[in-house]
Amino acid sequence: DAGVIQSPRHEVTEMGQEVTLRCKPISGHDYLFWYRQTMMRGLELLIYFNNNVPIDDSGMPEDRFSAKMPNASFSTLKIQPSEPRDSAVYFCASSPTTGAWAEETQYFGPGTRLLVL
Amino acid sequence: DQQVKQNSPSLSVQEGRISILNCDYTNSMFDYFLWYKKYPAEGPTFLISISSIKDKNEDGRFTVFLNKSAKHLSLHIVPSQPGDSAVYFCAGSTNAGKSTFGDGTTLTVKP
């Protein structure tokens, strides 16, 4: 398996532009997570899906951020309009479903490094 | 409220010696604790976990200890190797579906 795939790996954009980050989870995994990593806030969970349905989006910073999962093999995280403070590394992760969810590890993608000028 | 804290941003040890990475938490509802390892330009990868009903879990050179009364866990790496140099994240997980990560500790193992 190729693992979790994220694109693009790097994105440089100007303030006010729309940014779309993409993720392909590991086949068969029912959970998908979006994280953001910054120096100030560490690794924070933005939103996660179970079977393509958003379960908890309480970590989404504001209305400029939106995430979708139209099918089991694809998810997007969109920022519109982007701001310099959105500059961070965005990780997508997926996890299988088991009877004991808490012990399941998450498999992370390589991340998208976003720079908003 | 930061539910998972790694108070040491960095740690440096000599090759062959023991590395001890610490983590404190405040959420009593965590069912599992997990350690992830992250190399530059890569995503975190799972290293070892421990159930909240246990106090120790060992996997090769890696051992995690949990002290529930102190809400503290630690990761021991013995012996430390230069390839262990990375950022280590501690995370608490619940069956409700969320994992909460600490800020990470950068471990440097010197040859």
Side-chain angles (χ1 to χ4, degrees):
Chain A
D1 196 317
V4 176
I5 298 173
Q6 290 186 248
S7 65
R9 292 294 308 274
H10 302 273
E11 177 80 30
V12 180
T13 190
E14 292 187 345
M15 182 174 64
Q17 297 297 307
E18 177 179 298
V19 175
T20 299
L21 311 181
R22 298 173 175 80
C23 175
K24 176 177 167 57
I26 293 173
S27 177
H29 283 191
D30 297 324
Y31 285 86
L32 184 138
F33 308 83
W34 282 101
Y35 290 89
R36 177 172 68 175
Q37 184 185 21
T38 61
M39 290 293 291
M40 294 298 293
R41 302 175 68 90
L43 190 63
E44 53 180 339
L45 176 66
L46 300 177
I47 185 172
Y48 76 96
F49 296 82
N50 180 22
N51 291 322
N52 313 337
V53 176
I55 303 301
D56 186 339
D57 65 354
S58 59
M60 295 286 262
E62 48 197 275
D63 292 343
R64 297 185 297 106
F65 285 69
S66 63
K68 294 182 180 179
M69 193 166 185
N71 57 62
S73 59
F74 184 65
S75 177
T76 59
L77 178 67
K78 186 176 294 186
I79 308 173
Q80 167 62 17
S82 58
E83 296 182 3
R85 59 191 168 124
D86 302 331
S87 299
V89 181
Y90 291 81
F91 289 103
C92 174
S94 69
S95 175
T97 300
T98 68
W101 191 96
E103 68 179 301
E104 276 301 333
T105 65
Q106 296 178 24
Y107 297 81
F108 284 77
T112 295
R113 186 172 295 274
L114 173 66
L115 178 61
V116 183
L117 301 174
Chain B
D1 172 37
Q2 192 168 10
Q3 297 183 28
V4 178
K5 287 187 180 180
Q6 294 177 255
N7 292 317
S8 298
S10 62
L11 174 68
S12 181
V13 300
Q14 206 66 37
E15 180 180 6
R17 307 295 285 268
I18 184 171
S19 295
I20 300 176
L21 296 96
N22 294 302
C23 179
D24 296 300
Y25 64 96
T26 58
N27 188 346
S28 300
M29 301 303 291
F30 287 137
D31 297 299
Y32 263 84
F33 299 90
L34 306 96
W35 285 92
Y36 288 80
K37 178 179 176 180
K38 183 184 179 305
Y39 292 117
E42 296 182 10
T45 56
F46 171 73
L47 186 59
I48 191 170
S49 66
I50 187 168
S51 165
S52 61
I53 62 174
K54 295 186 177 180
D55 56 18
K56 178 182 176 181
N57 188 27
E58 191 172 353
D59 183 3
R61 296 185 298 113
F62 303 91
T63 304
V64 57
F65 295 92
L66 175 62
N67 182 334
K68 283 193 73 175
S69 60
K71 293 195 170 88
H72 177 83
L73 64 155
S74 60
L75 174 68
H76 292 211
I77 306 174
V78 182
S80 301
Q81 301 173 353
D84 297 329
S85 297
V87 179
Y88 289 80
F89 290 98
C90 166
S93 178
T94 72
N95 275 319
K98 259 187 171 178
S99 287
T100 303
F101 286 78
D103 289 343
T105 296
T106 300
L107 173 65
T108 302
V109 181
K110 298 179 179 178

